[in-house]
Amino acid sequence: MSGIRLDTLFTNTALPVGESLAAGLLASGTLQHWFQADAAHVDLTGDTIDSWTDRAGSGRVLTPRGGGATLADAALGSFPAALFDDANGDTYGMSGANLPWTGAWTIAVVARLDDLTSALRMLVGAGSGQTFYLGRIGTETLRLRCGGTNNTDIPFTGFGDWFSVLASYDGTSVTRIAVNGGAAVAGIGSDPTVSSATVLGDTPGSGLWSGHISDLMIWDTDLLASTAAAERARVDAFFASAYGIG
């Protein structure tokens, strides 16, 4: 007997919101790291996050490099999120060998900036000389820097609301960045010089994030390339279903 083909994304309504889609992301084989600010995936002292465990099963953890962010209940609809206070130095570094950020990859971050007064706020960074980072530059720009001073910018004015950003590198020369499920902007990149751990909420010499972050996800493929459209659609569907973003 022939099988049944489903042309739409499958969701199991018996599971918590978004969890059937989350299972699909984890089963993709390309999602290498997923740090989610949820009580099931962080270790707490009171409401302070002592560490984040990797939902993708790599064994890596995020641990504080300065202060520790607060797990804020119902910060993103019914979901919790980590509240980063720049005055407290809230940042986290990834354990294990430094991620080289070579070859193809994609980063996704779900965040909201609460303090809009500073034009320089970093979501993710690594290395010295600011050769790799993703963050806010100016009041209306999200920037991916990938190698040297190669910048890919996308105009964005919604920092004060919850947003999702995907940033990618094809492993050769093309970088891309997209916000809230929208079209990607392409730029030029190269292998960055990385000499330190990947950091959430900061990059060397730049402004710390001051607001909420719920998710950091890293793939070993370029999800914004046309050949990965189906996999990107699954990511966008998760953000829309679970968080109402996009």
Side-chain angles (χ1 to χ4, degrees), residues 76-172:
L76 175 52
S78 61
F79 292 91
L83 175 57
F84 285 69
D85 181 355
D86 62 329
N88 193 46
D90 295 348
T91 60
Y92 290 84
M94 188 183 296
S95 67
N98 298 336
L99 295 183
W101 296 105
T102 55
W105 48 259
T106 303
I107 308 170
V109 182
V110 177
R112 185 184 77 199
L113 185 60
D114 297 337
D115 182 355
L116 300 174
T117 59
S118 174
L120 190 64
R121 297 292 187 186
M122 293 295 109
L123 286 164
V124 184
S128 60
Q130 298 182 28
T131 63
F132 170 74
Y133 64 73
L134 174 65
R136 183 195 200 209
I137 303 293
T139 58
E140 298 182 354
T141 302
L142 263 170
R143 171 173 291 173
L144 171 64
R145 174 169 288 181
C146 183
T149 57
N150 295 314
N151 299 324
T152 303
D153 295 345
I154 189 168
F156 184 59
T157 59
F159 288 100
D161 300 316
W162 280 102
F163 66 93
S164 64
V165 54
L166 293 176
S168 72
Y169 175 49
D170 72 348
T172 304

Side-chain angles (χ1 to χ4, degrees), residues 48-49 63-69 85 88-93 199-200 202 208:
T48 299
I49 300 175
T63 55
R65 294 168 62 92
D85 181 355
N88 193 46
D90 295 348
T91 60
Y92 290 84
V199 178
L200 180 64
D202 189 20
L208 277 64

Side-chain angles (χ1 to χ4, degrees), residues 11-38:
T11 57
N12 182 346
T13 56
L15 293 172
V17 175
E19 279 304 296
S20 56
L21 292 172
L25 297 181
L26 289 165
S28 70
T30 61
L31 179 59
Q32 302 299 300
H33 307 289
W34 184 356
F35 299 99
Q36 187 176 48
D38 182 273

